[in-house]
Amino acid sequence: MTSAAPWLTHYDTGVPATLEPYANRTLLDCLTSLAASRPDANALLFKGTRVSYRELEAQSDAFAVALAALGVSREDRVALLLPNCPQFFVAQFAAWKLGAIVAPLNPIYTEHELEGPIREHGIETIVTLTRFYERVKRLQTKTPLRRIVATNIKHYFPWSLRLLFTIVRETKEGDRISLAAGDHDYATLLTRHRGQRPPAIAVTADDPAVLLMSGGTTGTPKGVLGRHGAYVITGQQVEAWTASILERDGVILLPLPLFHVYANIGVQGLAFAIGNAIALVPNPRDLADVLATIRAVRPTFFNGVPTLYVALLNHPDVQRGKVDFRSIKICFSGAAPLMAETKQRFEALTGGRIVEGYSLTEAMMALVVNPVHNANKLGSVGLPLPDVHVRIFDGEDGTRALESGEVGEICLTAPQLMIRFWNRPDETSSVLRDHVDAHGATRRWLHTGDLGYLDDQGYLFIVDRKKDLVKTSGYQVWPREVEEVLAAHPAVAEVGVTGVPDAVKGEAIWAWVVLRAGQSIDEAALRAFCRERLAPYKVPARVEIRAELPKTMVGKVLRRALREEALRSQARTS
């Protein structure tokens, strides 16, 4: 077993090789158990408001009754267009209590970006923040949307903050709205059904729970369907990995968006598995709020991406020593490579350990993570957690297992892998494949599309991306999506997009365009065109207008050549 899984001998003391068999348990079961055993303990912390496990159970019961009355039933998709706020959890647990599937969507998506998943996933019900209401209404005639529930961000504010928000910011932020006939107010539904219980519906670990959006390993945005069991399995694995340093009554700070697998599966799974409160930060770019929340809740577990750690280290209050980070015992970093200097500076600041990890949406947080106590090798993303296995297959057809040190495609197997891509059987079969393991057993493996190698101790090193996925500020961006937007401009004839190394973002998006004959436009106008159609992190940092693009013999734009050209340009100016 050790030879097939060399990482096991390098686990921290006390971390088990396996946690199997996993119980038939869901986060619904975890919440019910916590509401019974620790009813008044904090489940959620938000802007000075505390929501207990008892309150979360009761409010999600009431909202489940409301959704059932509106017609939501088993395996219906319920979209959540919400930032990190208590409403997300109430609506999520409510939908699950009806056997429905939760589909979190990115709140900063444009109308164009939201239309695809809502239509393709057959979403008929959405819970949205009031400031996004008009955007959702414009989509209603173009998608299956039938039921809209709107909620104001101030619903869970303490009374003083709520009053200030109402007077100063509500109209400016777009939260003061009038609902159209047939649409519903979140607060009214909760009040109407307070104290009621939804019908008892059996929900198991194998039932579908969530549709998370991902660029996937195949290049086009798609829905990744995950099981209920993925949450609990991931929670148990992370708990086992961090047990030596975790505090049972601690606070997990969550400045990462809940539409992302990192927060949705990883943080929720751990928090409800061990009964830690989650402190919610709606906007991680609001550093003042992040720091205010740290001061207020004194978190023990911090989750971030490299850009957030860098931003915090560079904040004037932090540099002047006006923020006390000493409550933080452990930090996780993911979604992009973590610089060694950033790790060292943040550890010196907090006194806690920061460990880098690696996973994918399709893996449902089957993690590779650096040890909490043992060696963290420079450039490595760590070791597979209990019951997560990594194998490197050849990068051509993905059938031949490689030896340690050989570079190939990184493949993962674990009990929580995704069920499938939504309505995309061909793409599912291309990334989920059965292989025989070292013991002769057949396992289902996820082919990640990332290139890397395992050293002889089982540490994983990522070398490059098999495809062209760009990771900027912790977000995934596929060049094709940006190319299609630029290509839609009437002045553009050809376009190429790729990621270029960036000290702050990890990668920045650069674009090169060839204009149509007789057309004229500048970089600023093309970037403005993108801003109208793409989320801010997808907008190219640079757009270069040129006479021609490098191409293959069959006319395909060579993104690799563009990237190499950009690297040479960076080298000349550095």
Side-chain angles (χ1 to χ4, degrees):
M1 185 175 186
T2 302
S3 59
W7 49 82
L8 295 178
T9 59
H10 301 282
Y11 276 10
D12 288 338
T13 301
V15 178
T18 181
L19 299 171
E20 293 180 334
Y22 292 92
N24 181 10
R25 190 168 170 80
T26 72
L27 286 196
L28 288 170
D29 300 318
C30 293
L31 175 58
T32 298
S33 176
L34 288 164
S37 63
R38 301 172 56 202
D40 297 320
N42 295 323
L44 308 172
L45 303 172
F46 180 69
K47 301 285 190 180
T49 293
R50 300 171 184 270
V51 179
S52 69
Y53 292 113
R54 185 200 335 249
E55 290 168 330
L56 182 55
E57 179 85 307
Q59 290 183 30
S60 58
D61 275 349
F63 199 63
V65 174
L67 291 179
L70 295 177
V72 175
S73 59
R74 181 180 284 275
E75 296 202 9
D76 284 354
R77 277 72 68 200
V78 176
L80 306 182
L81 191 63
L82 299 167
N84 291 3
C85 59
Q87 295 96 313
F88 188 104
F89 293 83
V90 172
Q92 169 189 260
F93 279 104
W96 284 345
K97 288 175 179 181
L98 301 177
I101 298 169
V102 172
L105 296 172
N106 187 340
I108 64 173
Y109 267 8
T110 64
E111 183 180 332
H112 171 74
E113 291 167 306
L114 289 171
E115 181 181 346
I118 291 174
R119 186 178 61 251
E120 292 169 18
H121 301 156
I123 293 170
E124 298 182 344
T125 306
I126 190 168
V127 182
T128 180
L129 211 62
T130 46
R131 67 186 62 172
F132 312 138
Y133 177 72
E134 293 302 328
R135 194 189 319 166
V136 170
K137 287 301 289 183
R138 290 192 296 270
L139 287 167
Q140 199 166 14
T141 59
K142 300 182 282 187
T143 65
L145 275 180
R146 295 169 49 207
R147 313 174 190 97
I148 299 174
V149 179
T151 178
N152 196 307
I153 189 66
K154 71 179 182 181
H155 181 85
Y156 288 91
F157 284 1
W159 73 266
S160 56
L161 181 59
R162 180 187 288 217
L163 178 62
L164 182 63
F165 180 83
T166 302
I167 295 171
V168 177
R169 295 180 59 185
E170 186 172 40
T171 300
K172 184 173 70 173
E173 300 283 353
D175 286 295
R176 186 169 295 171
I177 64 168
S178 297
L179 290 176
D183 295 338
H184 307 276
D185 174 64
Y186 172 88
T188 302
L189 292 177
L190 278 187
T191 300
R192 182 181 302 157
H193 299 285
R194 181 183 294 127
Q196 298 178 30
R197 299 285 299 277
I201 295 175
V203 177
T204 73
D206 285 331
D207 286 330
V210 68
L211 260 175
L212 294 172
M213 291 303 300
S214 172
T217 60
T218 56
T220 54
K222 60 186 68 68
V224 177
L225 185 63
R227 299 177 178 86
H228 278 279
Y231 291 86
V232 178
I233 292 168
T234 298
Q236 289 181 265
Q237 291 169 348
V238 177
E239 178 187 9
W241 198 252
T242 58
S244 62
I245 204 168
L246 271 181
E247 294 185 5
R248 299 299 300 186
D249 295 318
V251 175
I252 300 175
L253 187 72
L254 184 56
L256 306 175
L258 279 158
F259 64 80
H260 193 282
V261 68
Y262 184 166
N264 191 280
I265 305 288
V267 174
Q268 280 201 94
L270 177 64
F272 287 96
I274 65 175
N276 271 197
I278 302 176
L280 299 167
V281 176
N283 179 8
R285 292 180 179 81
D286 186 350
L287 293 182
D289 188 37
V290 174
L291 294 173
T293 306
I294 290 171
R295 292 186 180 102
V297 307
R298 296 190 55 76
T300 51
F301 198 136
F302 187 94
N303 296 274
V305 294
T307 49
L308 178 57
Y309 289 112
V310 171
L312 288 173
L313 287 168
N314 292 333
H315 193 278
D317 284 358
V318 174
Q319 294 185 338
R320 288 196 293 263
K322 292 186 175 182
V323 184
D324 185 354
F325 290 94
R326 288 175 296 176
S327 64
I328 298 173
K329 307 302 180 187
I330 186 169
C331 309
F332 265 34
S333 179
L338 178 68
M339 298 294 114
E341 181 189 11
T342 304
K343 172 180 166 64
Q344 293 162 2
R345 289 176 63 198
F346 206 81
E347 285 182 339
L349 184 70
T350 64
R353 186 67 177 262
I354 181 169
V355 293
E356 185 175 7
Y358 165 79
S359 189
L360 295 87
T361 306
E362 293 81 0
M364 289 284 144
M365 288 301 283
L367 280 160
V368 177
V369 181
N370 271 291
V372 173
H373 300 289
N374 287 347
N376 282 209
K377 295 187 179 183
L378 185 64
S380 171
V381 291
L383 306 170
L385 266 59
D387 303 315
V388 178
H389 292 257
V390 175
R391 190 184 287 182
I392 308 298
F393 285 93
D394 67 281
E396 286 72 44
D397 56 11
T399 58
R400 180 173 58 87
L402 304 182
E403 298 296 324
S404 64
E406 292 187 279
V407 174
E409 184 177 15
I410 300 166
C411 297
L412 301 168
T413 187
Q416 68 261 52
L417 296 185
M418 72 169 182
I419 301 171
R420 63 179 184 274
F421 291 128
W422 189 263
N423 287 341
R424 294 175 187 255
D426 291 343
E427 293 190 55
T428 299
S429 62
S430 73
V431 301
L432 287 181
R433 306 186 210 168
D434 291 341
H435 297 286
V436 178
D437 68 14
H439 304 286
T442 299
R443 292 174 179 260
R444 179 145 292 184
W445 291 79
L446 172 69
H447 285 246
T448 68
D450 290 333
L451 295 175
Y453 66 92
L454 290 167
D455 71 8
D456 58 4
Q457 294 182 327
Y459 282 79
L460 178 64
F461 293 78
I462 298 174
V463 174
D464 204 347
R465 312 203 188 285
K466 187 178 178 184
K467 303 292 185 181
D468 294 316
L469 177 68
V470 179
K471 287 196 172 181
T472 180
S473 301
Y475 292 103
Q476 296 183 353
V477 180
W478 282 97
R480 177 179 169 184
E481 189 177 8
V482 183
E483 288 171 352
E484 287 178 348
V485 168
L486 280 167
H489 194 286
V492 173
E494 296 176 341
V495 59
V497 169
T498 190
V500 177
D502 183 273
V504 175
K505 297 179 179 179
E507 287 183 296
I509 298 170
W510 284 23
W512 294 260
V513 301
V514 175
L515 299 183
R516 296 179 185 273
Q519 295 291 326
S520 176
I521 194 170
D522 61 15
E523 178 184 16
L526 287 172
R527 293 185 72 243
F529 181 80
C530 289
R531 278 195 295 272
E532 294 175 358
R533 292 158 177 81
L534 293 169
Y537 64 86
K538 297 180 183 179
V539 175
R542 174 172 169 174
V543 180
E544 180 181 325
I545 299 169
R546 53 191 295 168
E548 60 181 9
L549 299 177
K551 297 175 185 175
T552 66
M553 289 294 289
V554 295
K556 183 178 179 181
V557 174
L558 281 169
R559 292 182 183 140
R560 182 181 69 254
L562 290 171
R563 179 181 170 91
E564 291 169 354
E565 185 177 311
L567 291 174
R568 290 193 296 270
S569 174
Q570 286 182 328
R572 286 195 299 270
T573 57
S574 62

